[in-house]
Amino acid sequence: LNNSHPYLFGGLVNGGVRKVFERNSPEWTHALFPQHDWPGFLGDKWRFTKAWARDRSFAESVAGAVKVAEVVDTLAEAAEGTEAAFVCDMWGEYHREQAVAFLEQGKSVFVDKPLAESTADARAMIEAAQASGAVLSTCSSLRFVPEMMELKKKLAAPLGPAGIVTVCCPCHQDLARYSVHGIELLMDVVSPDTVVRLRNIGTGTRRHLLLVEFAGGTCGVIHSWEDHAYSLTVSAAGGHEVVNFSFTDSTRPMAAAVLESFESGIPVVPYDQALEVVRIIEAGAASRAAGGKVVELETGC
């Protein structure tokens, strides 16, 4: 645990203690839950029973707010006697270690964005899941926004496959932190295609402009700037569509989909698509560091 999302996921699954929740969680989360103590919203089958964090005090803060019974000191203790895990550390370099501690035991894992720091880490996590029969899920809540779900229906008909996709999204630290949501939106529209080349020609602090070419001929543009609003534009043979996001209750259906993935064994986002998101982040950072140089990516990865 290392970001604000455990308060959301915990409040949805376990319920919450209102006074403690208000004291411990970020203010922006308070309006998302009842003004009194509340039960979980996603049924009785799943509960968060243990909390672990690199900073124990943070785990204690979350546990007190969302009714988690036990705070533990090690990943091994967290894995013992549990069936699955949510990894919500905002720094991707820790995700492989944290997720594999569960995956190697056949316990399914949801990893909050970004999936991993590198494609090597992402592949190792996916391989650990496949070897043990566990499921590894990762996803952005934006794929569950009603406008996005409606767009995907239109891509089947009448729009047809996307030719040009333009995404606008915020960037608060780097491509892995919040730009990742825009990258996933692009992949959600274009998948199962793969990236063949990419440039990041953005300049300035927290400003990225990615030009992405796919093997199937689709072109993607991602504008990711600090405090930018989310939007998505698709041009296809059958027409043109603009999506502005309402953010109507997208975290709840996402959490429900993650829990369903634990039971079905089918990840929310297919592994090849999840890996492609990490490849774009990695290549985008490399292009930026090289002054906007074109980065060629291998296909079939």
Side-chain angles (χ1 to χ4, degrees):
L1 308 180
N2 183 245
N3 62 26
S4 58
H5 294 171
Y7 292 104
L8 297 182
F9 297 134
L12 290 169
V13 176
N14 282 21
V17 181
R18 184 67 197 188
K19 288 184 178 180
V20 181
F21 191 87
E22 285 187 0
R23 182 175 69 242
N24 295 3
S25 66
E27 185 175 359
W28 68 267
T29 66
H30 298 171
L32 302 177
F33 293 101
Q35 297 300 307
H36 48 76
D37 294 358
W38 71 91
F41 298 134
L42 299 176
D44 297 327
K45 188 167 185 178
W46 291 94
R47 284 291 181 271
F48 291 111
T49 58
K50 297 182 180 182
W52 174 86
R54 291 181 287 112
D55 176 358
R56 181 184 171 92
S57 66
F58 186 76
E60 292 171 345
S61 174
V62 174
V66 295
K67 306 179 183 179
V68 179
E70 185 178 0
V71 175
V72 297
D73 292 316
T74 67
L75 284 169
E77 290 177 283
E80 184 178 355
T82 55
E83 297 178 69
F86 274 49
V87 170
C88 297
D89 195 318
M90 70 180 293
W91 302 106
E93 56 263 39
Y94 295 103
H95 287 177
R96 177 176 177 175
E97 173 192 6
Q98 293 166 356
V100 167
F102 294 86
L103 294 170
E104 287 183 340
Q105 296 185 32
K107 299 179 179 186
S108 295
V109 176
F110 165 76
V111 178
D112 209 355
K113 310 298 286 184
L115 171 61
E117 177 74 5
S118 66
T119 55
D121 280 0
R123 287 192 182 97
M125 294 158 68
I126 291 168
E127 288 169 2
Q130 292 172 325
S132 69
V135 67
L136 172 66
S137 275
T138 185
C139 60
S140 166
S141 63
L142 296 183
R143 67 173 49 236
F144 296 97
V145 172
E147 295 87 348
M148 188 65 185
M149 298 177 76
E150 183 63 26
L151 171 65
K152 286 187 286 186
K153 294 178 183 177
K154 292 180 179 179
L155 289 172
L159 291 176
I164 301 174
V165 183
T166 301
V167 182
C168 295
C169 63
C171 175
H172 295 314
Q173 295 202 28
D174 55 25
L175 286 172
R177 273 149 283 270
Y178 278 81
S179 301
V180 63
H181 291 281
I183 294 168
E184 181 164 326
L185 288 174
L186 173 64
M187 287 307 307
D188 200 18
V189 170
V190 177
S191 184
D193 211 346
T194 57
V195 178
V196 292
R197 64 187 56 85
L198 176 152
R199 294 183 68 193
N200 184 353
I201 60 173
T203 59
T205 305
R206 300 177 183 177
R207 292 171 65 94
H208 298 273
L209 177 54
L210 274 70
L211 311 177
V212 186
E213 296 180 53
F214 289 87
T218 300
C219 294
V221 181
I222 300 176
H223 301 261
S224 186
W225 298 345
E226 187 172 12
D227 297 325
H228 210 314
Y230 285 99
S231 68
L232 186 148
T233 304
V234 174
S235 296
H240 184 81
E241 191 80 13
V242 178
V243 177
N244 293 300
F245 293 86
S246 65
F247 298 100
T248 305
D249 196 22
S250 60
T251 305
R252 187 185 299 197
M254 184 191 85
V258 170
L259 297 181
E260 173 59 29
S261 78
F262 290 171
E263 298 177 22
S264 69
I266 301 172
V268 175
V269 176
Y271 291 146
D272 57 349
Q273 184 177 330
L275 182 58
E276 205 68 16
V277 171
V278 180
R279 293 210 313 154
I280 292 173
I281 293 171
E282 194 171 52
S287 175
R288 175 68 175 265
K293 181 180 178 180
V294 172
V295 175
E296 303 279 349
L297 289 88
E298 295 181 10
T299 57
C301 295

